[in-house]
Amino acid sequence: MSEPRAGHRNASPHTALTRAIGSRMSYTQRGYAWRRTLARLRTRPFASGLTLLVLGIVLAMPVLLSFLAGALDELRGNEDQGATLTAYLSLDVADLDGASLATQLAARPGIQSTRYVSRDEALATFRAESDLGDALDVLGSNPLPGAIVIAPERATAGRQRMQALATEIEQISDIERVRYDLQWVERLRAVVAVARVAAALLAGFLTLTALLVVGNTIRLELLDRRSEREVSHLLGASRSFMNRPFVYTGLLYGLLGGLIATGLAIAAFSLLKRPADELAGLYGAQMGLSWPPKALIGLIPATGALLGLVGALSTLYGPSRQRIYADA
Amino acid sequence: MITFDSVSLRYSGGKAALENISFSLETGSFTFLTGHSGAGKSSLLRLIARLERPTSGRIDVGGIDYSRLKPRRELALRRQMGVIFQDNQLLNDRNLFDNVALPLIIGGYGYNDIVTRVSAALHRVGLEHAADMQPETLSGGEQQRAGIARALVARPRLLLADEPTGNLDAAMSEDIMQLLLQFHRSGVTVLFATHDTELLARHRFAQLKLAGGRSVSPRGLSDTSLAQHQIPRRSESHV
């Protein structure tokens, strides 16, 4: 038995009591549970920190994947919306006729809008966007045809429907040919579909891992706080009273792990965003990866807390509880 | 107040801890539960505290037939008892005040009530000055007194003491004994398990002797009525 501390032994009873008594909240049953939970985190900062980091990393992956899936969905949606057909007119079609044809096409079902691009406008654009402008001067006349840019309705988007629309428009006498380039959008859609399934599977596995991490942490805590449980049991504590600090521990680990995961996922997304935007630019996309909505980001710590709670409850009240209580 | 009627306890390994024990203790009595190590003293106390269930026989405490006791009532019953252990079982992750306050938190007492009762209990056992100290920094005798304060802070009518002086020298044992006698004088029924022969010689209270899990009739005392040698009750306990 170690010797008592001399300083405290000389303390007046009133001083000692004043120092000893905690806050009003900490003597309620829930306050007591929170106090014990926080005290455990404080007294084992390294072990607690490591557990939180593991949880944060495990949760960050599905979070990042959900960020990416959402951003790719949005990107795909934008490309679907931005997909257009370009109908090139015969060289002898006058601007007035071309514009009139564009108006007629806009009235057709399946077409949302049209825009007539005159031969002069096409030439000006070509000069501005290519290095071959000077070469056109050699030709003496404008070799570029007028064109009608056709934006189909959203319901018409999709490779087969666009193909059908293009064939239909090509039948019109003043139109030489119709060009559309949706292959990369189709490929992106397929890649996103596969990625979504893979992400869902990975997210499932990682969520299960997070549950196991929390469960195992609670199990170790149970073993470590065996004497507290024994004493509480002898003093007439109910199982819910004894389990409450462990439930709160799971909740807190989940919440803090979720916050760490949010930070990690945002950092990783920031790193990925720039090269992804550049890649999207190479495919002519008007916009790259966009940030997930704030509400989704806010949900992550809450989801982490829920996972922590489920992990703790399943350990304390699930099928393995008899074995745990026998060990503890 | 406590009645055992042909009570036996056999653990799952088949070993009989208690066999055919019958006795009756009156309210307000002070009784020694004696016997060598392994005689069944702790098992008997655990049966009273409802931490074990008898294999056969009937136990009645304060008019409550244990065989008809529902699980929720078991906890309430346990909260009405004070239990002191040889190793005091104080929790080293909190100060003395919080250790003593634990039964009251479990019982759902209010803040003011907790502060008043714990302060009074610590004062009663002479540890008010050590309220903010960690248990491991106290001497063995002080720790045991803190254990007594915790056992009595909820003002139980029954105190079960399992070898509370087992690790203490003669002077400290007597100190603890005097403290328990104080509480007994204020009306608490005490069942004190010990095999400290010196202590038994100094304090001649009724004895329930156990040997090999069986009750042995104590010399000069009946093991079916151990109400003799009670100290008259005083006013209500302050703890």
Side-chain angles (χ1 to χ4, degrees):
Chain A
M1 216 62 72
S2 58
E3 283 301 309
R5 285 175 290 172
H8 276 214
R9 194 160 286 286
N10 294 331
S12 78
H14 181 72
T15 311
L17 276 171
T18 307
R19 275 200 299 248
I21 300 170
S23 67
R24 181 176 286 269
M25 264 302 291
S26 65
Y27 294 107
T28 62
Q29 292 193 342
R30 285 188 174 79
Y32 168 82
W34 274 120
R35 192 178 177 190
R36 299 318 323 155
T37 301
L38 295 173
R40 288 290 294 181
L41 281 178
R42 268 202 312 275
T43 52
R44 303 173 63 197
F46 185 69
S48 304
L50 275 182
T51 306
L52 286 174
L53 201 58
V54 169
L55 263 179
I57 291 169
V58 165
L59 289 173
M61 280 304 290
V63 168
L64 181 62
L65 288 172
S66 76
F67 279 10
L68 288 174
L72 287 174
D73 263 354
E74 195 173 323
L75 181 64
R76 195 186 66 183
N78 287 330
E79 288 314 308
D80 278 354
Q81 274 188 322
T84 54
L85 299 174
T86 307
Y88 294 100
L89 306 179
S90 305
L91 282 172
D92 56 355
V93 175
D95 277 351
L96 205 60
D97 294 338
S100 168
L101 183 57
T103 310
Q104 287 172 33
L105 283 174
R108 283 187 168 224
I111 294 177
Q112 191 179 43
S113 63
T114 58
R115 186 172 73 84
Y116 175 63
V117 180
S118 69
R119 293 182 66 193
D120 291 345
E121 189 184 344
L123 182 66
T125 308
F126 187 79
R127 280 185 193 283
E129 292 185 358
S130 81
D131 297 329
L132 299 170
D134 294 340
L136 291 175
D137 294 337
V138 179
L139 296 174
S141 63
N142 181 0
L144 299 176
I148 300 171
V149 180
I150 301 161
E153 282 177 348
R154 191 170 174 78
T156 315
R159 191 178 175 80
Q160 286 181 343
R161 286 178 184 170
M162 291 287 273
Q163 177 75 60
L165 185 62
T167 307
E168 188 185 327
I169 293 169
E170 251 175 351
Q171 306 304 315
I172 299 170
S173 59
D174 286 343
I175 292 175
E176 283 287 310
R177 69 187 179 94
V178 176
R179 182 175 161 271
Y180 70 98
D181 185 11
L182 281 179
Q183 273 192 336
W184 80 270
V185 175
E186 291 293 325
R187 283 179 191 149
L188 177 65
R189 182 177 288 145
V191 168
V192 169
V194 172
R196 282 186 78 85
V197 174
L201 284 172
L202 192 58
F205 288 137
L206 291 172
T207 303
L208 189 64
T209 307
L211 285 174
L212 290 173
V213 168
V214 172
N216 199 46
T217 304
I218 298 299
R219 192 186 170 92
L220 291 173
E221 287 276 314
L222 279 167
L223 290 170
D224 215 31
R225 291 159 75 169
R226 190 183 193 156
S227 56
E228 183 180 340
R229 288 179 65 85
E230 276 175 8
V231 169
S232 300
H233 181 58
L234 288 171
L235 296 175
S238 63
R239 179 161 282 188
S240 64
F241 179 90
M242 291 189 286
N243 284 345
R244 195 172 287 136
F246 301 96
V247 174
Y248 290 175
T249 299
L251 187 73
L252 198 61
Y253 271 119
L255 178 68
L256 296 176
L259 285 171
I260 292 172
T262 308
L264 289 175
I266 287 175
F269 192 81
S270 303
L271 288 173
L272 279 172
K273 186 170 168 26
R274 191 174 167 154
D277 287 352
E278 285 173 7
L279 181 67
L282 290 177
Y283 280 90
Q286 289 174 343
M287 56 185 294
L289 294 183
S290 54
W291 282 98
K294 283 179 184 166
L296 178 67
I297 296 175
L299 268 178
I300 298 160
T303 308
L306 185 67
L307 277 177
L309 189 66
V310 171
L313 290 174
S314 61
T315 303
L316 293 164
Y317 296 101
S320 64
R321 70 184 186 280
Q322 296 299 344
R323 189 180 169 83
I324 291 167
Y325 290 131
D327 289 348
Chain B
M1 183 190 192
I2 302 175
T3 304
F4 270 48
D5 185 6
S6 307
V7 172
S8 295
L9 173 65
R10 191 173 288 273
Y11 288 115
S12 53
K15 185 180 175 250
L18 294 169
E19 275 190 76
N20 204 28
I21 303 286
S22 296
F23 67 87
S24 157
L25 302 182
E26 293 298 326
T27 301
S29 61
F30 190 113
T31 309
F32 282 122
L33 179 60
T34 66
H36 295 294
S37 295
K41 302 189 293 293
S42 296
S43 296
L44 190 142
L45 294 181
R46 289 177 68 83
L47 281 172
I48 296 172
R50 196 61 173 167
L51 295 166
E52 302 286 351
R53 285 157 204 273
T55 314
S56 62
R58 195 179 71 84
I59 299 172
D60 190 302
V61 175
I64 299 168
D65 183 349
Y66 275 16
S67 63
R68 294 179 184 172
L69 201 58
K70 291 182 177 166
R72 190 162 283 278
R73 282 284 299 143
E74 280 180 19
L75 298 176
L77 180 88
R78 209 173 293 146
R79 289 198 286 268
Q80 289 164 18
M81 296 177 185
V83 186
I84 304 169
F85 314 96
Q86 182 175 355
D87 58 356
N88 68 66
Q89 297 209 350
L90 296 173
L91 300 167
N92 287 319
D93 63 351
R94 63 199 73 186
N95 63 34
L96 212 53
F97 187 95
D98 287 349
N99 264 284
V100 176
L102 185 56
L104 302 179
I105 297 170
I106 290 170
Y109 286 72
Y111 176 76
N112 292 335
D113 221 2
I114 288 175
V115 171
T116 307
R117 284 182 183 235
V118 175
S119 303
L122 287 172
H123 176 72
R124 194 83 188 268
V125 299
L127 287 174
E128 210 176 359
H129 65 280
D132 61 335
M133 292 172 73
Q134 301 301 116
E136 59 198 356
T137 65
L138 301 173
S139 71
E142 286 174 322
Q143 288 190 20
Q144 202 54 272
R145 281 194 277 148
I148 291 171
R150 185 182 64 188
L152 293 161
V153 73
R155 298 176 190 165
R157 308 305 303 159
L158 172 64
L159 179 65
L160 306 173
D162 191 3
E163 306 253 12
T165 59
N167 290 332
L168 306 178
D169 59 29
M172 280 188 180
S173 294
E174 189 54 34
D175 184 32
I176 296 299
M177 184 65 194
Q178 290 304 323
L179 202 54
L180 293 180
L181 286 174
Q182 267 186 45
F183 288 109
H184 169 55
R185 286 189 193 102
S186 59
V188 178
T189 306
V190 180
L191 184 55
F192 187 132
T194 184
H195 60 268
D196 182 344
T197 48
E198 286 182 28
L199 193 75
L200 292 169
R202 281 198 302 273
H203 301 277
R204 298 199 52 81
F205 288 107
Q207 290 184 24
L208 174 61
K209 266 189 176 175
L210 294 176
R214 291 173 182 275
S215 175
V216 181
S217 283
R219 193 168 41 198
L221 294 170
S222 159
D223 64 346
T224 53
S225 178
L226 298 167
Q228 301 96 322
H229 296 268
Q230 285 180 48
I231 294 175
R233 276 174 78 163
R234 280 190 189 166
S235 58
E236 275 292 299
S237 164
H238 293 294
V239 174

